[in-house]
Amino acid sequence: MPLECSTRVLAVTSESPDPAILGEAALVLRRGGLVAFATETVYGLGAVATDSEAVERIFAAKGRPAVNPLIVHVTGIDQAREYAADWPADAEVLARTFWPGPLTVVLPRSDRIPDVVTAGRPTVGLRSPAGAVAQGLIARCGRPLAAPSANRSNALSPTRAEHVLADLGGRVDLILDSGPTAVGLESTVIDLTGDRPRLLRPGPITVAEIVSTLEGRDVLIPAAGESAARPMSPGQMPVHYAPRTPAFRMDCADDLAALPPRGAIAILALGNQPLPAGITAAACVRLESPERAARMLYGELHRLDALRPDAIFVLMPPDRPEWLAVRDRLMRATRPVREWQ
Ligand code: TXA
Ligand code: MG
Protein backbone atom coordinates (compact mmCIF):
# COMPACT_ATOMS: atom_id res chain seq x y z
CA MET A 1 0.00 0.00 0.00
CA PRO A 2 1.33 3.51 -0.77
CA LEU A 3 2.33 5.81 2.08
CA GLU A 4 0.10 8.67 0.95
CA CYS A 5 -3.66 8.24 1.27
CA SER A 6 -6.67 10.43 1.82
CA THR A 7 -7.58 10.86 5.47
CA ARG A 8 -11.20 10.76 6.57
CA VAL A 9 -12.22 12.18 9.94
CA LEU A 10 -15.37 10.87 11.60
CA ALA A 11 -16.74 12.30 14.84
CA VAL A 12 -17.94 9.98 17.59
CA THR A 13 -18.85 10.66 21.20
CA SER A 14 -16.39 9.36 23.77
CA GLU A 15 -19.05 7.75 26.02
CA SER A 16 -21.24 6.05 23.43
CA PRO A 17 -19.61 6.02 20.00
CA ASP A 18 -21.93 5.17 17.10
CA PRO A 19 -21.63 1.38 16.55
CA ALA A 20 -21.94 1.88 12.77
CA ILE A 21 -18.89 4.16 12.74
CA LEU A 22 -16.89 1.79 14.94
CA GLY A 23 -17.88 -1.00 12.55
CA GLU A 24 -16.63 1.01 9.60
CA ALA A 25 -13.34 1.75 11.37
CA ALA A 26 -12.93 -1.96 12.21
CA LEU A 27 -13.43 -2.77 8.54
CA VAL A 28 -10.68 -0.32 7.54
CA LEU A 29 -8.39 -2.02 10.07
CA ARG A 30 -9.24 -5.55 8.97
CA ARG A 31 -8.40 -4.59 5.39
CA GLY A 32 -4.92 -3.53 6.48
CA GLY A 33 -5.60 0.19 6.97
CA LEU A 34 -4.54 2.60 9.71
CA VAL A 35 -7.05 4.18 12.09
CA ALA A 36 -6.20 6.84 14.66
CA PHE A 37 -8.38 6.67 17.76
CA ALA A 38 -8.46 8.09 21.26
CA THR A 39 -7.40 6.10 24.27
CA GLU A 40 -7.66 7.63 27.73
CA THR A 41 -3.98 8.69 27.46
CA VAL A 42 -3.26 9.99 23.95
CA TYR A 43 -4.50 9.25 20.42
CA GLY A 44 -3.06 6.02 19.03
CA LEU A 45 -2.25 5.11 15.42
CA GLY A 46 -3.76 1.65 15.17
CA ALA A 47 -3.27 -1.34 12.90
CA VAL A 48 -4.21 -4.98 13.41
CA ALA A 49 -1.27 -6.32 15.43
CA THR A 50 -1.19 -9.68 13.66
CA ASP A 51 -1.01 -8.07 10.20
CA SER A 52 2.72 -7.40 9.55
CA GLU A 53 2.12 -5.31 6.44
CA ALA A 54 -0.35 -3.05 8.21
CA VAL A 55 2.06 -2.65 11.11
CA GLU A 56 4.85 -1.75 8.69
CA ARG A 57 2.61 1.09 7.47
CA ILE A 58 2.56 2.47 11.03
CA PHE A 59 6.36 2.70 11.04
CA ALA A 60 6.34 4.35 7.59
CA ALA A 61 3.60 6.86 8.49
CA LYS A 62 5.39 7.94 11.67
CA GLY A 63 8.93 7.76 10.32
CA ARG A 64 9.53 5.55 13.35
CA PRO A 65 12.81 3.65 13.63
CA ALA A 66 12.19 -0.08 13.19
CA VAL A 67 14.01 -0.72 16.50
CA ASN A 68 11.25 0.90 18.57
CA PRO A 69 8.61 -1.71 19.55
CA LEU A 70 4.87 -1.00 19.59
CA ILE A 71 2.37 -1.53 22.38
CA VAL A 72 -0.33 -4.10 21.63
CA HIS A 73 -3.79 -3.01 22.80
CA VAL A 74 -6.20 -5.67 24.00
CA THR A 75 -9.74 -5.72 25.38
CA GLY A 76 -8.59 -7.20 28.68
CA ILE A 77 -6.82 -10.02 30.51
CA ASP A 78 -8.26 -12.89 28.45
CA GLN A 79 -7.04 -11.45 25.17
CA ALA A 80 -3.70 -10.39 26.69
CA ARG A 81 -3.02 -13.98 27.75
CA GLU A 82 -3.40 -15.15 24.16
CA TYR A 83 -0.52 -12.92 23.08
CA ALA A 84 1.90 -13.38 25.97
CA ALA A 85 3.96 -16.57 26.26
CA ASP A 86 3.85 -16.27 30.04
CA TRP A 87 1.37 -14.57 32.36
CA PRO A 88 3.06 -14.19 35.75
CA ALA A 89 1.24 -13.42 39.00
CA ASP A 90 2.47 -9.80 38.92
CA ALA A 91 0.80 -9.30 35.54
CA GLU A 92 -2.45 -10.74 36.81
CA VAL A 93 -2.51 -8.53 39.91
CA LEU A 94 -1.54 -5.37 38.03
CA ALA A 95 -3.99 -5.98 35.19
CA ARG A 96 -6.82 -6.73 37.62
CA THR A 97 -6.11 -3.52 39.47
CA PHE A 98 -5.36 -1.08 36.67
CA TRP A 99 -7.01 -2.38 33.47
CA PRO A 100 -8.62 -1.01 31.53
CA GLY A 101 -6.25 1.86 32.16
CA PRO A 102 -2.92 3.57 31.51
CA LEU A 103 -0.54 0.72 32.36
CA THR A 104 1.50 -1.31 29.84
CA VAL A 105 3.09 -4.58 30.96
CA VAL A 106 6.07 -5.99 29.08
CA LEU A 107 6.05 -9.80 28.97
CA PRO A 108 7.54 -12.62 26.90
CA ARG A 109 5.64 -12.58 23.62
CA SER A 110 3.72 -15.41 22.02
CA ASP A 111 4.57 -16.31 18.43
CA ARG A 112 1.21 -14.89 17.36
CA ILE A 113 2.84 -11.45 17.54
CA PRO A 114 4.86 -10.71 14.39
CA ASP A 115 8.50 -9.57 14.69
CA VAL A 116 7.79 -6.15 13.25
CA VAL A 117 5.56 -5.25 16.24
CA THR A 118 8.21 -5.96 18.85
CA ALA A 119 11.18 -4.82 16.76
CA GLY A 120 12.42 -8.40 16.91
CA ARG A 121 12.48 -8.49 20.71
CA PRO A 122 11.35 -11.60 22.59
CA THR A 123 8.95 -9.44 24.62
CA VAL A 124 5.69 -7.62 23.96
CA GLY A 125 4.10 -4.59 25.64
CA LEU A 126 0.40 -5.21 26.37
CA ARG A 127 -2.20 -2.76 27.54
CA SER A 128 -5.97 -2.63 27.80
CA PRO A 129 -6.93 1.00 27.18
CA ALA A 130 -9.93 2.60 28.87
CA GLY A 131 -12.75 4.29 27.00
CA ALA A 132 -15.64 3.17 24.84
CA VAL A 133 -13.95 4.14 21.56
CA ALA A 134 -10.75 2.13 22.11
CA GLN A 135 -12.54 -0.82 23.72
CA GLY A 136 -15.29 -0.86 21.09
CA LEU A 137 -12.82 -0.71 18.24
CA ILE A 138 -10.62 -3.57 19.51
CA ALA A 139 -13.68 -5.69 20.27
CA ARG A 140 -15.18 -5.13 16.81
CA CYS A 141 -11.88 -5.94 15.14
CA GLY A 142 -11.67 -9.20 17.03
CA ARG A 143 -7.89 -8.75 17.03
CA PRO A 144 -5.51 -6.75 19.21
CA LEU A 145 -4.34 -3.41 17.82
CA ALA A 146 -0.72 -2.31 17.65
CA ALA A 147 -0.81 1.42 18.32
CA PRO A 148 1.92 3.92 19.07
CA SER A 149 1.01 7.52 19.80
CA ALA A 150 -0.38 9.06 16.60
CA ASN A 151 2.40 11.56 15.92
CA ARG A 152 5.49 11.68 13.72
CA SER A 153 8.45 10.06 15.45
CA ASN A 154 9.99 12.38 18.08
CA ALA A 155 7.14 14.91 17.84
CA LEU A 156 4.66 15.74 20.59
CA SER A 157 2.00 13.15 21.36
CA PRO A 158 -1.54 14.06 20.26
CA THR A 159 -4.32 14.60 22.78
CA ARG A 160 -6.85 15.84 20.19
CA ALA A 161 -7.86 14.66 16.72
CA GLU A 162 -6.68 18.02 15.30
CA HIS A 163 -3.14 17.22 16.47
CA VAL A 164 -3.27 13.91 14.59
CA LEU A 165 -4.60 15.51 11.42
CA ALA A 166 -1.94 18.25 11.46
CA ASP A 167 0.88 15.73 11.94
CA LEU A 168 -0.30 12.65 10.03
CA GLY A 169 -2.97 13.91 7.60
CA GLY A 170 -2.52 12.05 4.30
CA ARG A 171 -0.80 9.14 6.08
CA VAL A 172 -3.68 7.60 8.01
CA ASP A 173 -6.89 6.28 6.47
CA LEU A 174 -9.30 7.31 9.19
CA ILE A 175 -9.27 9.43 12.34
CA LEU A 176 -12.02 8.88 14.90
CA ASP A 177 -12.49 12.25 16.58
CA SER A 178 -13.88 11.80 20.08
CA GLY A 179 -12.52 15.04 21.53
CA PRO A 180 -9.66 15.60 23.96
CA THR A 181 -8.27 12.59 25.84
CA ALA A 182 -9.03 12.28 29.55
CA VAL A 183 -5.61 11.51 31.07
CA GLY A 184 -3.31 13.21 28.58
CA LEU A 185 0.03 11.46 29.23
CA GLU A 186 1.20 8.13 27.80
CA SER A 187 0.82 4.96 29.85
CA THR A 188 3.24 3.79 32.49
CA VAL A 189 5.39 0.99 31.02
CA ILE A 190 6.62 -1.74 33.36
CA ASP A 191 8.83 -4.67 32.40
CA LEU A 192 7.82 -7.91 34.13
CA THR A 193 10.33 -10.20 32.41
CA GLY A 194 13.11 -9.93 35.01
CA ASP A 195 13.49 -10.94 38.66
CA ARG A 196 12.03 -7.62 39.76
CA PRO A 197 9.49 -5.38 38.00
CA ARG A 198 11.34 -2.59 36.22
CA LEU A 199 9.88 0.78 35.30
CA LEU A 200 10.57 1.61 31.64
CA ARG A 201 8.46 4.75 31.35
CA PRO A 202 6.85 6.68 34.21
CA GLY A 203 3.24 7.57 33.58
CA PRO A 204 -0.23 8.09 35.05
CA ILE A 205 -0.07 4.94 37.22
CA THR A 206 2.58 5.86 39.78
CA VAL A 207 5.38 3.72 41.17
CA ALA A 208 3.77 4.03 44.62
CA GLU A 209 0.51 2.59 43.27
CA ILE A 210 2.38 -0.28 41.62
CA VAL A 211 4.43 -1.04 44.75
CA SER A 212 1.37 -1.06 46.97
CA THR A 213 -0.52 -3.30 44.52
CA LEU A 214 2.41 -5.73 44.46
CA GLU A 215 2.37 -5.68 48.27
CA GLY A 216 5.61 -3.86 48.80
CA ARG A 217 7.73 -5.61 46.16
CA ASP A 218 10.67 -3.60 44.97
CA VAL A 219 10.29 -1.88 41.62
CA LEU A 220 13.52 -1.02 39.80
CA ILE A 221 13.59 2.57 38.63
CA PRO A 222 16.50 3.20 36.27
CA ALA A 223 18.29 6.48 36.92
CA ALA A 224 17.85 9.08 34.16
CA GLY A 225 21.49 8.75 33.07
CA GLU A 226 21.35 4.98 32.98
CA SER A 227 18.33 4.86 30.70
CA ALA A 228 19.88 7.42 28.35
CA ALA A 229 23.12 5.45 28.15
CA ARG A 230 21.49 2.08 27.66
CA PRO A 231 18.02 2.61 26.28
CA MET A 232 15.82 -0.41 26.99
CA SER A 233 12.82 1.35 25.62
CA PRO A 234 13.10 4.12 23.06
CA GLY A 235 10.55 6.13 25.07
CA GLN A 236 13.51 6.50 27.45
CA MET A 237 15.70 8.19 24.85
CA PRO A 238 16.78 11.72 25.72
CA VAL A 239 15.16 13.66 22.85
CA HIS A 240 11.62 12.54 22.22
CA TYR A 241 8.16 14.05 22.46
CA ALA A 242 9.57 17.50 21.49
CA PRO A 243 7.86 20.58 20.04
CA ARG A 244 9.27 22.14 16.84
CA THR A 245 10.06 25.40 18.63
CA PRO A 246 13.35 25.24 20.57
CA ALA A 247 12.31 24.61 24.17
CA PHE A 248 14.47 25.16 27.24
CA ARG A 249 13.97 24.15 30.85
CA MET A 250 14.92 25.81 34.10
CA ASP A 251 14.36 24.86 37.72
CA CYS A 252 14.20 28.29 39.23
CA ALA A 253 11.94 31.21 38.30
CA ASP A 254 14.80 33.65 38.90
CA ASP A 255 16.56 32.16 35.86
CA LEU A 256 13.76 33.63 33.74
CA ALA A 257 14.43 37.16 35.02
CA ALA A 258 18.13 36.67 34.25
CA LEU A 259 17.54 35.88 30.55
CA PRO A 260 18.65 38.58 28.14
CA PRO A 261 15.57 39.85 26.25
CA ARG A 262 15.58 38.41 22.74
CA GLY A 263 12.74 37.55 20.35
CA ALA A 264 9.24 36.40 21.19
CA ILE A 265 9.12 33.88 23.98
CA ALA A 266 6.43 31.66 25.46
CA ILE A 267 6.48 30.46 29.05
CA LEU A 268 5.10 27.23 30.47
CA ALA A 269 5.27 27.14 34.27
CA LEU A 270 4.67 23.89 36.16
CA GLY A 271 3.92 23.87 39.88
CA ASN A 272 3.40 27.07 41.80
CA GLN A 273 6.68 28.98 41.94
CA PRO A 274 5.78 32.63 41.32
CA LEU A 275 7.11 34.20 38.13
CA PRO A 276 9.33 37.27 38.43
CA ALA A 277 7.59 40.55 37.59
CA GLY A 278 8.18 42.45 34.37
CA ILE A 279 8.64 39.57 31.94
CA THR A 280 7.21 40.07 28.47
CA ALA A 281 5.99 36.90 26.83
CA ALA A 282 3.84 36.14 23.78
CA ALA A 283 2.03 33.59 25.95
CA CYS A 284 2.32 32.38 29.49
CA VAL A 285 0.66 29.24 30.82
CA ARG A 286 0.71 27.78 34.31
CA LEU A 287 -0.22 24.21 35.24
CA GLU A 288 -0.27 23.91 39.02
CA SER A 289 -1.19 20.35 39.92
CA PRO A 290 0.39 17.15 38.55
CA GLU A 291 -3.01 15.85 37.38
CA ARG A 292 -3.89 18.98 35.47
CA ALA A 293 -0.35 19.19 34.10
CA ALA A 294 -0.58 15.60 32.83
CA ARG A 295 -3.91 16.26 31.16
CA MET A 296 -2.97 19.59 29.61
CA LEU A 297 0.79 19.30 28.98
CA TYR A 298 0.75 18.18 25.35
CA GLY A 299 -2.25 20.36 24.46
CA GLU A 300 -0.49 23.44 25.83
CA LEU A 301 2.82 22.56 24.18
CA HIS A 302 1.00 22.08 20.85
CA ARG A 303 -0.71 25.46 21.32
CA LEU A 304 2.48 27.32 22.26
CA ASP A 305 4.34 25.63 19.40
CA ALA A 306 1.65 26.79 16.92
CA LEU A 307 2.22 30.42 18.01
CA ARG A 308 5.72 30.01 16.51
CA PRO A 309 7.63 31.94 19.18
CA ASP A 310 11.43 32.03 19.02
CA ALA A 311 11.67 29.89 22.13
CA ILE A 312 9.55 28.17 24.76
CA PHE A 313 10.84 28.38 28.34
CA VAL A 314 9.64 25.74 30.74
CA LEU A 315 9.77 26.32 34.47
CA MET A 316 10.13 22.78 35.80
CA PRO A 317 7.95 21.35 38.59
CA PRO A 318 9.63 20.18 41.80
CA ASP A 319 11.58 16.92 41.67
CA ARG A 320 8.99 14.96 43.66
CA PRO A 321 7.36 11.57 42.99
CA GLU A 322 3.97 13.02 42.04
CA TRP A 323 5.65 14.96 39.23
CA LEU A 324 7.81 12.07 37.95
CA ALA A 325 5.91 11.42 34.69
CA VAL A 326 5.47 15.09 33.77
CA ARG A 327 9.14 15.81 34.53
CA ASP A 328 10.16 12.80 32.42
CA ARG A 329 8.29 14.12 29.35
CA LEU A 330 9.57 17.67 29.91
CA MET A 331 13.16 16.45 30.20
CA ARG A 332 12.75 14.94 26.73
CA ALA A 333 10.90 17.90 25.20
CA THR A 334 13.44 20.52 26.31
CA ARG A 335 17.14 21.27 26.61
CA PRO A 336 18.83 22.96 29.58
CA VAL A 337 18.47 26.75 29.43
CA ARG A 338 22.26 27.17 29.35
CA GLU A 339 22.07 25.87 25.76
CA TRP A 340 19.94 28.84 24.70
CA GLN A 341 21.89 31.25 22.62
O1 TXA B 1 -0.53 5.53 26.44
C1 TXA B 1 0.14 4.93 25.61
O2 TXA B 1 0.97 4.05 25.92
C2 TXA B 1 -0.06 5.29 24.13
C3 TXA B 1 -1.49 4.91 23.73
C4 TXA B 1 -1.75 5.09 22.26
O3 TXA B 1 -1.74 3.61 24.14
N1 TXA B 1 0.89 4.63 23.31
C5 TXA B 1 2.19 4.99 23.27
O4 TXA B 1 2.93 4.27 22.34
O5 TXA B 1 2.67 5.88 23.95
P1 TXA B 1 4.39 4.68 21.90
O6 TXA B 1 4.76 3.72 20.82
O7 TXA B 1 4.42 6.10 21.59
O8 TXA B 1 5.26 4.34 23.16
C6 TXA B 1 5.41 2.99 23.54
C7 TXA B 1 6.56 2.84 24.49
C8 TXA B 1 7.86 3.10 23.79
O9 TXA B 1 8.72 3.76 24.69
C9 TXA B 1 8.33 1.69 23.49
O10 TXA B 1 9.72 1.62 23.35
C10 TXA B 1 7.84 0.94 24.72
O11 TXA B 1 6.58 1.51 24.98
N2 TXA B 1 7.68 -0.49 24.44
C11 TXA B 1 6.74 -1.10 23.70
N3 TXA B 1 6.95 -2.43 23.63
C12 TXA B 1 8.06 -2.68 24.37
C13 TXA B 1 8.81 -3.85 24.68
N4 TXA B 1 8.47 -5.03 24.22
N5 TXA B 1 9.91 -3.71 25.47
C14 TXA B 1 10.28 -2.49 25.95
N6 TXA B 1 9.62 -1.34 25.68
C15 TXA B 1 8.52 -1.43 24.91
MG1 MG C 1 5.04 8.03 21.32
Side-chain angles (χ1 to χ4, degrees):
M1 255 189 243
L3 178 58
E4 300 296 325
C5 60
S6 68
T7 299
R8 280 192 304 156
V9 181
L10 295 174
V12 285
T13 61
S14 55
E15 285 87 41
S16 54
D18 183 343
I21 295 184
L22 289 183
E24 205 176 323
L27 198 62
V28 172
L29 288 163
R30 281 207 299 266
R31 288 180 176 156
L34 303 186
V35 175
F37 62 96
T39 73
E40 78 282 39
T41 60
V42 300
Y43 274 75
L45 179 61
V48 169
T50 50
D51 179 344
S52 311
E53 273 176 41
V55 173
E56 274 162 20
R57 283 189 72 207
I58 293 181
F59 283 88
K62 283 182 61 95
R64 181 173 175 116
V67 295
N68 193 352
L70 305 180
I71 293 172
V72 173
H73 296 70
V74 292
T75 45
I77 292 177
D78 289 348
Q79 198 176 37
R81 295 185 70 148
E82 292 176 35
Y83 294 89
D86 183 26
W87 186 257
D90 285 349
E92 179 75 15
V93 174
L94 289 173
R96 276 190 191 284
T97 309
F98 298 111
W99 282 4
L103 180 74
T104 297
V105 293
V106 172
L107 292 169
R109 71 159 154 156
S110 92
D111 49 21
R112 301 180 68 182
I113 299 282
D115 276 348
V116 57
V117 172
T118 69
R121 292 168 193 234
T123 58
V124 59
L126 292 161
R127 142 167 146 84
S128 175
V133 174
Q135 283 286 330
L137 192 58
I138 306 166
R140 265 180 185 71
C141 256
R143 297 269 166 169
L145 296 180
S149 52
N151 52 276
R152 299 279 181 117
S153 195
N154 291 338
L156 290 172
S157 291
T159 53
R160 293 174 176 270
E162 297 89 304
H163 301 154
V164 181
L165 189 62
D167 213 17
L168 291 177
R171 292 176 168 228
V172 45
D173 299 292
L174 175 62
I175 301 173
L176 292 178
D177 179 356
S178 56
T181 58
V183 175
L185 220 57
E186 303 90 341
S187 63
T188 306
V189 181
I190 186 138
D191 180 359
L192 299 178
T193 62
D195 295 342
R196 290 152 74 193
R198 179 182 158 101
L199 184 73
L200 296 183
R201 181 173 71 181
I205 304 294
T206 64
V207 174
E209 286 175 297
I210 292 172
V211 169
S212 91
T213 304
L214 297 179
E215 296 182 337
R217 292 244 344 251
D218 251 7
V219 173
L220 282 170
I221 307 173
E226 186 194 343
S227 58
R230 209 162 45 85
M232 283 265 311
S233 181
Q236 296 178 326
M237 287 174 189
V239 179
H240 210 75
Y241 315 110
R244 283 169 303 171
T245 308
F248 302 94
R249 62 177 176 269
M250 56 187 72
D251 288 311
C252 170
D254 290 341
D255 293 347
L256 258 183
L259 291 174
R262 192 158 5 125
I265 65 162
I267 299 171
L268 176 60
L270 289 299
N272 46 25
Q273 266 189 78
L275 294 181
I279 294 203
T280 316
C284 183
V285 183
R286 177 183 291 285
L287 299 171
E288 282 198 11
S289 72
E291 295 72 28
R292 203 170 113 80
R295 199 169 67 247
M296 311 282 288
L297 182 69
Y298 287 127
E300 290 300 344
L301 282 172
H302 275 288
R303 199 171 63 77
L304 296 179
D305 204 16
L307 297 175
R308 310 304 289 145
D310 295 299
I312 299 173
F313 291 102
V314 175
L315 181 55
M316 294 291 280
D319 190 1
R320 285 209 296 265
E322 67 271 27
W323 284 101
L324 183 68
V326 169
R327 279 184 64 92
D328 170 78
R329 303 309 187 274
L330 286 170
M331 295 294 280
R332 296 171 208 286
T334 60
R335 288 179 279 151
V337 70
R338 66 181 132 79
E339 290 181 21
W340 185 54
Q341 38 201 297

